[in-house]
């Protein structure tokens, strides 16, 4: 489910300032204001086919109104609550199922369990079965309906307000995660701050560089230990695999170069052909701070895709108890 949501979301980038954010590349999606379009498992009673349709509808609603959908930061979500108001058998030949649905869309902060914005729409559908009638009704949701503009605008304002008023909490939370060596998660938190929240964004970028350095040095120690162990077993290829992960911004880079030289000399002394492995080099044309921020983004996105358990397993009972 989460990979499906991610796949859908990655295709739909956007921004608070539509023109400005739409001009940016996909790698910048993480720092934009965006909503994760989600139909939680707790939203029971929705036919499986209709779930995907709702995800698509919610993504379209966001996009049509200057936001978009991404699962890069699933803290802020757009989720549906669907209620069957009535259902009946039509007096036709053949008889058909007819349903009247009440659909409420919410923009929420899944972490704090706050509702930022909501709007409601009623739709009707007819089909050979109740499920088909249900799906037909959802197809009738007009994503261009005017009510959705205010719905999205209010949600955006609340998200910006959150970062402007809670920036210190965001930064301290990231520092606490880094203190627990949860560097990837800390980077994810920092690099998810939208760039329209300028002051908080700048502070987050600065802190992300510091935490990236901590992460890089932590990983460097790990890679060097692996390389030394491999070389102790005279496994040059395995050693090269570890050494190849060490980049010039890591503190142990000089040690890695020395080990590389040691391996090279040993192999040549033993009559082997030239060992072609070379340590990575800086591209001096690239600003190091920008490089570290970009590296941090890649780490954070990878963490979100493969790890991110807390963010993809929100407890939604607080919302769906209202049904």
């Amino acid at each position: 489910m989460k990979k499906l949501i991610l796949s859908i979301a990655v295709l739909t980038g956007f921004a608070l300032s539509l023109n400005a954010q739409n001009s940016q590349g996909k790698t910048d999606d993480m720092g934009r204001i965006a909503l994760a379009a989600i139909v939680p498992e707790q939203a029971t009673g929705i036919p499986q086919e209709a779930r995907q349709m709702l995800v698509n509808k919610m993504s379209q609603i966001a996009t049509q109104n200057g936001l978009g959908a991404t699962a890069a930061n699933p803290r802020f979500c757009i989720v549906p609550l669907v209620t069957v108001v009535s259902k009946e058998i039509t007096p036709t030949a053949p008889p058909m199922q007819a349903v009247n649905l009440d659909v409420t869309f919410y923009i929420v902060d899944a972490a704090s369990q706050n509702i930022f914005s909501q709007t409601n729409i009623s739709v009707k559908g007819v089909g050979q079965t109740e499920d088909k009638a249900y799906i037909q009704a959802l197809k009738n949701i007009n994503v261009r309906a005017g009510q959705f503009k205010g719905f999205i605008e209010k949600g955006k304002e609340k998200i910006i307000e959150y970062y402007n008023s809670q920036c210190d909490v965001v930064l301290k939370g990231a520092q606490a995660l880094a203190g627990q060596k949860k560097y990837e998660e800390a980077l994810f938190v920092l690099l998810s701050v939208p760039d329209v929240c300028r002051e908080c964004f700048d502070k987050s970028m600065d802190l992300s560089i510091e935490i990236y350095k901590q992460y890089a040095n932590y990983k460097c120690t790990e890679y060097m230990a692996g390389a030394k162990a491999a070389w102790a077993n005279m496994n040059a290829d395995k050693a090269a695999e570890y050494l190849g992960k060490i980049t010039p911004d890591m503190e142990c880079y000089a040690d890695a170069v020395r080990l590389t030289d040691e391996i090279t000399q040993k192999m040549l002394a033993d009559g082997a052909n030239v060992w072609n492995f070379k340590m990575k080099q800086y591209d001096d044309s690239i600003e190091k701070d920008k490089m570290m921020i970009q590296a941090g983004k890649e780490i954070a996105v990878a963490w979100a895709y493969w790890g991110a358990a807390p963010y993809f397993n929100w407890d939604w009972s607080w919302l769906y108890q209202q049904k």
Side-chain angles (χ1 to χ4, degrees), residues 38-40 58 77-81 104-108 316 319-320:
I38 294 175
V39 181
M58 292 186 293
C77 309
I78 177 170
V79 294
L81 179 62
T104 303
F105 293 110
Y106 297 100
I107 293 174
V108 303
W316 290 101
L319 180 64
Y320 290 95

Side-chain angles (χ1 to χ4, degrees), residues 15 19-20 26 35 40 56 72 93 128 130 146 153 184 196 213 267 272 300 308 314 317:
N19 290 335
K26 188 163 62 177
L35 302 172
N56 294 340
Q128 293 178 332
E130 185 176 329
E153 283 298 325
E184 297 97 328
V196 292
K213 289 177 181 176
M267 293 186 72
W314 296 115
S317 59

Side-chain angles (χ1 to χ4, degrees), residues 244-260:
K245 297 177 181 177
I246 297 175
T247 51
D249 54 309
M250 297 178 172
E251 282 184 349
C252 71
Y253 181 77
D255 292 337
V257 172
R258 282 192 286 272
L259 180 58
T260 298

Side-chain angles (χ1 to χ4, degrees), residues 18-245:
L18 184 60
N19 290 335
Q21 291 199 26
N22 279 351
S23 68
Q24 297 180 28
K26 188 163 62 177
T27 54
D28 290 325
D29 286 353
M30 192 172 177
R32 301 179 180 188
I33 292 181
L35 302 172
I38 294 175
V39 181
E41 295 299 327
Q42 291 90 336
T44 57
I46 302 175
Q48 194 59 39
E49 186 177 343
R51 288 177 170 271
Q52 187 54 57
M53 184 184 300
L54 274 169
V55 169
N56 294 340
K57 289 286 185 183
M58 292 186 293
S59 296
Q60 292 168 16
I61 288 169
T63 304
Q64 289 289 335
N65 292 281
L67 269 188
T70 178
N73 183 358
R75 171 174 187 146
F76 303 107
C77 309
I78 177 170
V79 294
L81 179 62
V82 184
T83 303
V84 178
V85 177
S86 65
K87 54 185 176 182
E88 60 184 6
I89 306 296
T90 63
T92 56
M96 304 285 278
Q97 298 277 344
V99 297
N100 182 6
L101 303 181
D102 191 54
V103 185
T104 303
F105 293 110
Y106 297 100
I107 293 174
V108 303
D109 178 349
S112 65
Q113 301 186 349
N114 284 315
I115 295 174
F116 286 166
S117 181
Q118 69 181 74
T119 191
N120 178 273
I121 190 167
S122 295
V123 286
K124 297 179 180 178
V126 177
Q128 293 178 332
T129 65
E130 185 176 329
D131 279 3
K132 289 182 178 178
Y134 199 112
I135 292 166
Q136 185 59 47
L138 295 179
K139 281 183 179 177
N140 290 331
I141 295 173
N142 178 12
V143 298
R144 298 178 183 274
Q147 70 186 87
F148 293 126
K149 182 176 178 59
F151 167 65
I152 294 295
E153 283 298 325
K154 186 174 181 181
K156 286 194 296 189
E157 290 171 5
K158 290 292 184 181
I159 292 172
I160 292 172
E161 184 178 301
Y162 165 80
Y163 281 111
N164 287 341
S165 63
Q166 300 294 317
C167 191
D168 288 346
V169 175
V170 172
L171 299 179
K172 287 179 181 176
Q175 288 172 321
L177 288 168
Q180 299 169 43
K181 293 186 168 52
K182 296 179 179 179
Y183 302 113
E184 297 97 328
E185 187 173 354
L187 290 168
F188 176 83
V189 169
L190 293 171
L191 295 167
S192 295
V193 176
D195 55 9
V196 292
C197 306
R198 178 51 60 184
E199 185 177 351
C200 189
F201 175 81
D202 289 343
K203 290 179 179 177
S204 296
M205 293 307 103
D206 290 344
L207 182 56
S208 75
I209 292 172
E210 295 303 314
I211 290 181
Y212 172 77
K213 289 177 181 176
Q214 295 174 32
Y215 168 83
N217 294 331
Y218 174 75
K219 297 300 290 185
C220 198
T221 301
E222 183 179 295
Y223 297 150
M224 273 302 295
K228 288 179 179 178
W231 181 234
N233 291 316
M234 301 304 290
N235 188 338
D237 290 339
K238 191 66 178 177
E241 182 179 324
Y242 283 109
L243 292 169
K245 297 177 181 177

